[in-house]
């Protein structure tokens, strides 16, 4: 069995594009929240989201043609290109069949599908664009990464909603750990779209302007978008090519609540944490920081906090939610959490939970690293990802030793 390490990071986010900008955004507690521009939101009472207005795919991508892909695929491919550049991967790889891509998503290319439906309603089937129909399948997200980087190994898109990036990291970890691959690009991508915004609004889960995880007065999520990619390699492969190593992937855990379509289950989440810790070969006392799912809804944060208490007991480490800065980037969310966790280990700081004002008396054990990043020695960190359908996925990262 092979040890697995992180050698490259590729964030395309509303608080920064590229690892340096993203790190600065985390340290400063920058917010991506702004009025929606991706679609006409004038009919909604809540009109803010965490978009990436600075994204210019043609400035990042080298191989794929921008006009042939939907926005989510472009976010995935651009994140992968940034991660590969950050990792110093020698492209084209000597053995591209030993390298692959696993990308998670919630909405896939829903912005493309929405436009196709609008065209269909307006003018019937003849009005539907053939080019748009080609862009619509969700599996093209991983394909875009493989095409951009010339990877000929497994190319998989996982659609386990808001925990999908952690599923992708776990899938890639397993391929590397068992020696089936040398290099994998893993993460997630999603775009701000009307149906997700409308769906969360109808569920009563959407806040107006600020996401405030673990605050007493939290009221819901902001939808968001972005692409998050990590280059993962076997330790032997990374060392052989002289790569800079950010951190080690220690393990992961997956389970399903099998309980309710949208309501989280405390016991199942706690069980997933224990699975991840056991897979990583560590104990709760070893964990220095938890990057939470932290959506900012009353139900999620209470359930997650109670599950954390059940696992960690009286020694609950500091936690934070970067959704307070990015919004909920759906399938990319735990990918951004993994990047933030890796940076916390590498650079010795805890990302803050911004917009936090009032402690929740129901969660007295939670230290949310309120509003300001905090210097800290982070040896081991846990990255939580949960999703509708009860799909829980948790990854564990550690300082390289």
């Amino acid at each position: 069995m092979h040890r697995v390490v992180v050698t490259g990071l590729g964030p395309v986010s509303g608080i920064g594009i590229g690892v340096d900008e993203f790190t600065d955004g985390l340290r400063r507690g920058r917010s991506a929240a702004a009025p929606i521009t991706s679609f006409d939101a004038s009919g909604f009472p809540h009109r803010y989201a965490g978009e990436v207005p600075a994204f210019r795919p043609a400035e990042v991508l080298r191989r794929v043609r921008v006009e042939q892909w939907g926005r989510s695929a472009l976010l995935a491919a651009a994140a992968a290109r940034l991660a590969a550049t950050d990792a110093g991967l020698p492209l084209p790889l000597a053995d591209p069949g030993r390298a692959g891509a696993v990308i998670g998503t919630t909405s896939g290319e829903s912005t493309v599908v929405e436009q196709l439906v609008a065209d269909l309603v307006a003018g019937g089937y003849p009005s539907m664009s053939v080019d748009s129909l080609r862009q619509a399948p969700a599996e093209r997200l991983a394909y875009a990464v493989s095409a951009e980087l010339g990877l000929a190994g497994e190319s998989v898109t996982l659609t386990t909603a808001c925990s999908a990036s952690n599923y992708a990291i776990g899938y890639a970890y397993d391929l590397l750990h068992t020696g089936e691959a040398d290099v994998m690009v893993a993460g997630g991508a999603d775009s701000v779209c009307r149906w997700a915004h409308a769906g969360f609004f109808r569920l009563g889960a959407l806040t107006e302007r600020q996401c405030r995880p673990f605050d007493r007065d939290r009221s819901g999520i902001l939808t968001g978008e972005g692409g998050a990619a990590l280059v993962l390699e076997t330790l032997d492969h990374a060392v052989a090519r002289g790569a800079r190593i950010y951190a080690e992937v220690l393990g992961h855990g997956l389970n399903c609540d099998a309980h309710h379509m949208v309501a989280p289950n405390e016991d199942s989440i706690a069980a997933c944490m224990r699975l991840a810790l056991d897979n990583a070969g560590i104990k709760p006392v070893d964990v220095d920081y938890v990057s939470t799912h932290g959506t900012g809804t009353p139900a999620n944060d209470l359930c997650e906090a109670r599950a954390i208490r059940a696992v960690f007991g009286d020694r609950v480490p500091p936690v934070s939610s970067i959704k307070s800065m990015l919004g909920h980037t759906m399938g990319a969310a735990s990918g951004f959490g993994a990047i933030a966790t890796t940076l916390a280990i590498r650079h010795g700081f805890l990302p803050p939970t911004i917009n936090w004002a009032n402690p929740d008396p129901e969660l007295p054990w939670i230290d949310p690293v309120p509003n300001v990043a905090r210097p800290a020695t982070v040896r081991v960190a846990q990255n939580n990802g949960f999703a509708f359908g009860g799909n829980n996925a948790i990854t564990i990262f550690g300082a390289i030793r």
Side-chain angles (χ1 to χ4, degrees):
M1 295 297 177
H2 298 265
R3 293 170 66 185
V4 179
V5 295
V6 182
T7 58
L9 304 174
V12 180
S13 81
I15 67 167
I17 296 174
V19 67
D20 291 339
E21 284 188 11
F22 186 74
T23 304
D24 185 66
L26 291 177
R27 288 187 182 277
R28 294 176 181 271
R30 192 175 295 142
S31 174
I36 292 171
T37 61
S38 298
F39 61 89
D40 180 4
S42 59
F44 289 94
H46 300 339
R47 304 177 189 130
Y48 272 57
E51 296 175 310
V52 191
F55 180 45
R56 305 287 185 271
E59 295 177 3
V60 180
L61 300 172
R62 301 180 190 173
R63 287 170 54 104
V64 301
R65 295 172 59 184
V66 171
E67 67 274 10
Q68 294 180 345
W69 302 84
R71 183 171 176 85
S72 293
L74 292 172
L75 286 164
R81 172 58 70 180
L82 290 171
T85 301
D86 184 51
L89 275 183
L91 299 174
L93 294 171
D95 188 353
R98 298 278 300 171
V102 192
I103 301 297
T105 192
T106 295
S107 304
E109 295 293 8
S110 287
T111 55
V112 175
V113 174
E114 287 173 359
Q115 186 58 53
L116 285 167
V117 172
D119 293 343
L120 175 63
V121 171
Y125 288 109
S127 68
M128 299 175 76
S129 163
V130 173
D131 290 337
S132 294
L133 285 166
R134 290 194 186 101
Q135 293 174 10
E139 69 264 21
R140 284 172 60 87
L141 272 66
Y143 174 37
V145 172
S146 296
E148 173 63 19
L149 301 182
L151 311 179
E154 287 199 43
S155 187
V156 180
T157 300
L158 298 174
T159 56
T160 46
C162 302
S163 58
S165 282
N166 264 354
Y167 269 87
I169 292 167
Y171 190 110
Y173 170 87
D174 287 344
L175 290 175
L176 294 161
H177 187 55
T178 56
E180 297 177 63
D182 296 324
V183 180
M184 294 295 296
V185 177
D190 262 304
S191 306
V192 164
C193 59
R194 185 190 306 273
W195 82 263
H197 193 81
F200 279 103
F201 176 74
R202 292 284 291 175
L203 285 168
L206 206 63
T207 193
E208 186 173 1
R209 294 193 176 199
Q210 288 186 333
C211 178
R212 305 173 69 179
F214 303 108
D215 187 278
R216 179 195 64 196
D217 301 323
R218 63 191 182 274
S219 57
I221 76 164
L222 286 178
T223 54
E225 67 177 4
L230 297 86
V231 173
L232 307 181
E233 303 181 50
T234 63
L235 177 61
D236 290 344
H237 188 274
V239 170
R241 70 178 189 86
R244 180 256 346 264
I245 296 172
Y246 280 104
E248 182 172 3
V249 186
L250 299 178
H252 65 102
L254 311 172
N255 72 359
C256 181
D257 298 347
H259 165 70
H260 191 279
M261 187 61 199
V262 299
N265 182 279
E266 174 187 334
D267 293 338
S268 183
I269 289 172
C272 191
M273 292 183 194
R274 294 187 182 102
L275 285 171
L277 294 170
D278 288 346
N279 184 252
I282 60 173
K283 296 179 173 59
V285 71
D286 299 323
V287 177
D288 299 306
Y289 166 66
V290 177
S291 175
T292 65
H293 189 58
T295 60
T297 63
N300 174 89
D301 293 3
L302 179 61
C303 181
E304 184 172 12
R306 286 175 171 171
I308 289 171
R309 179 66 180 272
V311 172
F312 289 92
D314 293 333
R315 187 202 169 275
V316 174
V319 311
S320 65
S321 171
I322 63 172
K323 289 181 180 67
S324 61
M325 295 179 261
L326 299 170
H328 194 334
T329 55
M330 308 295 161
S334 53
F336 283 120
I339 293 174
T341 298
T342 301
L343 292 169
I345 292 168
R346 174 75 175 181
H347 297 301
F349 76 99
L350 305 182
T353 303
I354 67 168
N355 306 318
W356 191 91
N358 302 293
D360 187 337
E362 291 192 85
L363 315 175
W365 59 87
I366 289 294
D367 169 9
V369 191
N371 301 314
V372 179
R374 181 185 303 167
T377 299
V378 183
R379 294 170 295 272
V380 176
Q382 174 178 309
N383 179 43
N384 290 352
F386 314 131
F388 285 172
N391 292 306
N392 304 315
I394 294 171
T395 48
I396 308 290
F397 297 86
I400 190 69
R401 59 192 192 281

